[in-house]
Amino acid sequence: LSILLILLVPAHTTRSPDCGGILTPSGLRYLAEVSKPHAESVLRKDLMASPDPDPSPTSPSRSQIISVKVDKFSLTLIPDTGMRLNIEVDLGITSGPSATKEMRLSIVADLHVEMNPEENLELVTSDCKPTLEEVQSTEEMDRSAPHKPSGSDVDKQINVEKICLEVSKLLLFPNERLMSLAAPFPITPNCQVQYLPLAAPMYSEQGIIISLQTTFQVAGTVIPLPVSPVPFSMPEPASSSPSHLILAFSEHFYTSLFSALEQSGALNVSLLSSLTTATLAERITQMGSLFQEDLPVVLQAVSRSSPHVVLEENRATVELFLTAQIGTRSSLFQSFLSVNVDVTARLHLSVADTRMIISVAAIEDIELSLATSDVGPILAALLEELFLPTIREEVPAQINAVLRHGVFLPHIASFTYTDVNITIHKDYVLIPCNLQLEAR
């Protein structure tokens, strides 16, 4: 997969990629395939527009384009440079009831993606060569040799220079959609994720490679997170991928995601246990003198340090470090016991549309320890017996409720992901998938 993510711009030495992707030659071919009818629609609208009426009543009738058909539309990679767009358009033209001709408009344009001063990616046309040839006419006896017409009003009507200036509009991913890659996406009501490009993409035989750095916002403010200590990279693939797109996310990305959720308060949970103060007093005698009535026992858990995600071969886990205040649910929460809870949970990853669904598949390990000694020493076994079932059931349920809508992946508007295959490697997750244009 080549070097997927590297630091390309010296000014960004303090920044490090934690995710990114590669658009393969197969993906480029798909984008060309779905752009072809779009390009035909745009060209038909531009070229078949009614010409300005000629003020002279004695002037001859002007030629008019009556049909536009895109015969060829292709996108190919130029390694180390960019992309080449090749378009061939068949035009039907008439200048009277019995005078018709067929012409071919050919456009060859070199495209590449730059990073503009606003640090957004922008599609740029570096070279464009249009040609217009007549291929058939009812006004000529010899139709065998195509030639370029000169001085006709058709040349004036077909503004090839304008077409070259707006050639990116013929693609289904023009600049306004390309720049949406860097738009903030919601995770929870007050937590957002944003994928910022670190540099312009690289072009290789494997495809178009882009490196991204993830930032998270809580209540609209970017929160500080540790920068990945090393640039994220992946080994070169043994062969070209049949997938349209290959996304990659580092271990640091997932740790940052859970850290952002923790800082936004999304991982703070309230757990209602099956115990009451009366049943608890049967096991812990000190409880009997604290409460005059029998009240439900609840656990209010908050993070005491940042979560950590560990990626191994075919396995992803998250380590949560919580402090649970155990108390009663009344008009005012009254805590009578503090317990440290360390949870190791197995994660399940999937993709739906353009979102990654992250869920707790199972709790693999839980450690409980007394955080305070305000009620005297309590055996760890008793803590586990009383509270472990509640923690084991409710912690995954509440985390999954937070993440049930998924985390938006970097994507181009109007496209979704299909045929997804997720592979977890040590330190990173690889997601080969296909693009699919959404029905409108």
Side-chain angles (χ1 to χ4, degrees):
L1 188 58
S2 184
I3 301 300
L4 177 64
L5 303 165
I6 65 172
L7 292 176
L8 297 177
V9 180
H12 291 157
T13 53
T14 59
R15 300 166 63 186
S16 180
D18 56 13
C19 64
I22 177 168
L23 179 65
T24 67
S26 176
L28 268 183
R29 287 192 294 271
Y30 177 76
L31 289 176
E33 175 190 332
V34 297
S35 292
K36 182 178 178 180
H38 167 77
E40 187 168 282
S41 175
V42 172
L43 289 170
R44 184 179 292 116
K45 181 179 179 182
D46 288 347
L47 299 178
M48 294 178 65
S50 298
D52 294 332
D54 196 309
S56 172
T58 61
S59 63
S61 59
R62 299 185 61 182
S63 296
Q64 184 176 1
I65 298 173
I66 58 173
S67 67
V68 176
K69 179 176 175 55
V70 175
D71 183 58
K72 179 181 179 181
F73 192 103
S74 66
L75 271 173
T76 53
L77 271 172
I78 308 175
D80 303 321
T81 303
M83 300 169 284
R84 177 156 293 163
L85 175 63
N86 195 314
I87 309 173
E88 292 186 359
V89 188
D90 292 333
L91 305 176
I93 300 169
T94 179
S95 58
S98 59
T100 62
K101 64 178 67 176
E102 292 181 9
M103 302 187 75
R104 171 157 293 180
L105 172 65
S106 299
I107 303 170
V108 178
D110 289 342
L111 310 173
H112 66 280
V113 177
E114 293 181 352
M115 179 177 280
N116 61 24
E118 291 76 32
E119 296 193 339
N120 285 320
L121 298 180
E122 186 173 349
L123 190 64
V124 176
T125 304
S126 55
D127 189 24
C128 183
K129 298 176 181 177
T131 57
L132 187 63
E133 293 181 330
E134 183 175 311
V135 295
Q136 187 175 8
S137 173
T138 58
E139 298 175 330
E140 296 181 14
M141 297 300 293
D142 182 9
R143 307 172 185 175
S144 58
H147 67 280
K148 181 177 179 180
S150 59
S152 69
D153 54 356
V154 177
D155 290 291
K156 299 174 183 178
Q157 189 173 344
I158 302 175
N159 190 336
V160 291
E161 290 184 0
K162 180 183 177 183
I163 291 175
C164 279
L165 288 173
E166 300 182 349
V167 70
S168 65
K169 291 184 179 180
L170 303 180
L171 299 169
L172 268 175
F173 54 101
N175 281 326
E176 57 267 25
R177 290 180 179 171
L178 196 61
M179 288 187 284
S180 70
L181 282 170
F185 300 113
I187 303 175
T188 66
N190 67 336
C191 185
Q192 293 179 312
V193 62
Q194 190 173 17
Y195 302 97
L196 299 178
L198 291 179
M202 297 184 299
Y203 302 89
S204 73
E205 292 181 357
Q206 281 74 37
I208 303 173
I209 303 165
I210 181 173
S211 60
L212 302 170
Q213 183 189 55
T214 310
T215 64
F216 294 92
Q217 300 177 16
V218 174
T221 301
V222 175
I223 59 174
L225 290 170
V227 175
S228 179
V230 293
F232 176 44
S233 62
M234 293 191 306
E236 188 170 320
S239 60
S240 60
S241 172
S243 299
H244 296 162
L245 183 70
I246 301 171
L247 297 171
F249 298 87
S250 69
E251 185 177 89
H252 185 262
F253 166 85
Y254 292 98
T255 292
S256 297
L257 167 63
F258 276 91
S259 295
L261 292 172
E262 178 259 323
Q263 291 192 39
S264 71
L267 298 184
N268 296 342
V269 295
S270 181
L271 314 176
L272 177 62
S273 75
S274 59
L275 301 173
T276 66
T277 53
T279 55
L280 194 61
E282 295 175 2
R283 306 298 301 274
I284 307 173
T285 55
Q286 296 94 323
M287 295 296 100
S289 59
L290 294 178
F291 302 98
Q292 302 301 316
E293 57 180 324
D294 192 16
L295 298 172
V297 174
V298 297
L299 290 77
Q300 291 188 353
V302 298
S303 297
R304 71 176 190 276
S305 63
S306 296
H308 182 63
V309 173
V310 178
L311 299 179
E312 301 170 329
E313 291 299 320
N314 301 315
R315 185 173 181 267
T317 57
V318 60
E319 298 172 349
L320 302 174
F321 309 99
L322 310 172
T323 295
Q325 299 292 333
I326 302 174
T328 57
R329 174 174 288 178
S330 56
S331 58
L332 181 65
F333 178 77
Q334 181 179 357
S335 172
F336 55 78
L337 186 64
S338 249
V339 176
N340 289 334
V341 183
D342 295 346
V343 178
T344 300
R346 183 83 172 261
L347 296 177
H348 179 263
L349 307 177
S350 61
V351 172
D353 299 325
T354 55
R355 306 186 192 206
M356 179 185 296
I357 310 300
I358 306 172
S359 61
V360 176
I363 296 290
E364 294 192 342
D365 187 42
I366 300 177
E367 292 184 10
L368 303 182
S369 60
L370 194 62
T372 60
S373 56
D374 49 359
V375 293
I378 301 177
L379 295 175
L382 180 57
L383 281 176
E384 293 183 2
E385 179 186 344
L386 295 175
F387 301 113
L388 202 59
T390 297
I391 294 172
R392 187 177 294 277
E393 181 179 347
E394 292 297 326
V395 167
Q398 295 204 26
I399 292 177
N400 290 344
V402 169
L403 293 170
R404 69 184 183 276
H405 296 302
V407 179
F408 274 105
L409 301 174
H411 64 279
I412 299 174
S414 301
F415 288 89
T416 187
Y417 298 143
T418 63
D419 306 316
V420 179
N421 179 28
I422 297 178
T423 306
I424 303 173
H425 296 282
K426 180 174 173 56
D427 301 329
Y428 68 94
V429 171
L430 203 61
I431 308 177
C433 55
N434 286 334
L435 298 170
Q436 180 175 300
L437 181 65
E438 294 179 298
R440 297 182 181 179

